[in-house]
Amino acid sequence: MKEATFVSKNENEWKALDSFNSRLKKQGGIRKLAVEEVREFARLFRLAGFHLAYAKTHYPHGTTVGYLNGLVGMSHNFFYVRERGTFAEIRDYFAYILPLTLRQTYRYWVVAAACFAFGLMFAAFYVVGDTARLGEIMPAGMGDAFTPGETPVLGEGLEYWDGSLMSAFFITNNTTVAFNAFALGLLGGIGSLFIMFYNGLVVGGLFGFLYSEGADMLVAYSLILPHGIIELMAIFLAGGCGLMLCKGILLPGKYTRRHALVLQARRAAKIIPAVVIMLVAAAFIEGFFTPLNIDPWYKIIFAALTAVGMIAYFLKGARL
């Protein structure tokens, strides 16, 4: 088909789409269109896209390609325009998008949680047998705060606790851990799994030490669980997102590795905002609620309610 014939055959549809574009430019978007008008606009937009692809193939040096590029580009801006930060979008994210994504990707963050649990159990049993081993597990300098043979007195010095300062510190520290768990998924998943396992070692080693040295475990739990439930879940999700990147690289399936990585990154991007919010919430709890001089049971109950709420939320995702 000659280019002139092609233009003559389809120019009415193009003019109709151009008319839509002019109208939408004046009224500021497609929200004021009737349902049938939106459908017609979508039909013309898709048709023009097909025509553009055809023209690029058969008339690459003709004037039609430039015209259709501009026409489709303007229509694209109206068709895919979205309002950011609206209450409805925030509501839909937490009510539908996030729980559905968590359901679809649960295998990844369950694997991350299992890796953490393995590290925790290994370290707990390793340290219970010999509390001096704690120094082999804890980060440099951190193990010095725990002396074998001395029963730790938990909660001392909290009267000097600066909640704002400590919350800022915890946000920075936890975000670093979560970011590493996510980004290191690009190393074939080994990096993400290592972050999970190592953090499990630290927590398990600490609990094993406190138990062996006769510390008040109720107080120990009350100083960790109120913020720890949310914090650990956020880190599990970040680790799961890292494993998604790993799958895109190692097991692309029918896609190219680049395409598969992009697809997995888009799925992970739906979870990362929740991870950030959870880490901030955990840091505030750790900075202001955990140090309170109240009955430890209140903190344990708070942690239990947090866990129940999160379980209920995840089960909602399973029902969507």
Side-chain angles (χ1 to χ4, degrees):
M1 183 188 301
K2 293 183 178 180
E3 184 175 6
T5 305
F6 175 72
V7 172
S8 176
K9 182 179 179 181
N10 299 294
E11 63 179 345
N12 287 337
E13 282 83 2
W14 303 343
K15 289 179 179 178
L17 182 60
D18 188 44
S19 177
F20 265 115
N21 288 340
S22 299
R23 178 180 170 187
L24 294 174
K25 185 176 181 180
K26 291 179 180 179
Q27 66 184 37
I30 65 174
R31 289 185 300 172
K32 295 182 179 180
L33 294 181
V35 174
E36 291 302 322
E37 289 179 312
V38 173
R39 290 174 180 169
E40 177 62 11
F41 175 62
R43 184 190 72 82
L44 293 170
F45 172 55
R46 288 193 296 267
L47 185 62
F50 295 144
H51 290 163
L52 174 59
Y54 183 89
K56 283 182 176 180
T57 302
H58 297 280
Y59 322 114
H61 304 295
T63 59
T64 306
V65 172
Y67 171 75
L68 289 177
N69 256 326
L71 181 65
V72 171
M74 183 174 290
S75 300
H76 179 278
N77 292 336
F78 292 124
F79 193 77
Y80 289 104
V81 68
R82 297 181 62 200
E83 295 183 359
R84 303 291 182 181
T86 64
F87 174 77
E89 284 193 328
I90 296 174
R91 178 200 62 200
D92 289 346
Y93 173 74
F94 286 104
Y96 306 108
I97 297 174
L98 178 60
L100 181 59
T101 304
L102 292 177
R103 185 196 72 180
Q104 294 172 339
T105 60
Y106 77 93
R107 292 180 180 85
Y108 300 98
W109 49 269
V110 167
V111 169
C115 190
F116 173 90
F118 178 71
L120 184 148
M121 290 186 290
F122 174 83
F125 284 110
Y126 183 70
V127 172
V128 165
D130 183 358
T131 55
R133 295 172 176 171
L134 181 66
E136 302 173 13
I137 296 174
M138 301 295 279
M142 187 173 177
D144 298 339
F146 303 94
T147 305
E150 295 183 5
T151 301
V153 180
L154 303 175
E156 286 188 334
L158 292 181
E159 64 270 19
Y160 304 109
W161 188 271
D162 187 329
S164 299
L165 179 63
M166 296 310 296
S167 289
F169 168 77
F170 293 135
I171 289 175
T172 302
N173 180 73
N174 296 338
T175 301
T176 300
V177 173
F179 175 80
N180 289 337
F182 171 54
L184 291 178
L186 294 172
L187 300 179
I190 297 176
S192 297
L193 293 177
F194 173 78
I195 294 292
M196 295 296 103
F197 180 75
Y198 182 71
N199 278 272
L201 285 180
V202 172
V203 175
L206 177 60
F207 275 121
F209 177 88
L210 294 176
Y211 176 79
S212 296
E213 296 294 339
D216 188 333
M217 294 308 294
L218 178 62
V219 175
Y221 293 139
S222 72
L223 291 174
I224 295 177
L225 293 182
H227 63 272
I229 298 293
I230 300 176
E231 180 182 301
L232 288 177
M233 190 63 216
I235 292 175
F236 296 158
L237 292 178
C241 290
L243 294 179
M244 291 181 210
L245 300 183
C246 168
K247 182 178 184 297
I249 296 173
L250 299 183
L251 300 170
K254 63 181 179 179
Y255 303 104
T256 64
R257 295 187 190 280
R258 180 180 178 182
H259 190 191
L261 179 60
V262 170
L263 291 176
Q264 293 295 345
R266 287 176 179 173
R267 296 176 76 186
K270 297 177 182 178
I271 298 177
I272 293 301
V275 171
V276 174
I277 292 172
M278 293 168 70
L279 290 176
V280 172
F284 273 96
I285 294 172
E286 192 170 4
F288 293 98
F289 179 75
T290 298
L292 290 180
N293 185 24
I294 58 177
D295 191 318
W297 277 110
Y298 290 129
K299 300 179 184 179
I300 299 297
I301 292 172
F302 175 84
L305 292 175
T306 300
V308 169
M310 294 180 67
I311 292 172
Y313 185 75
F314 293 149
L315 290 178
K316 174 186 177 179
R319 294 193 299 268
L320 291 177

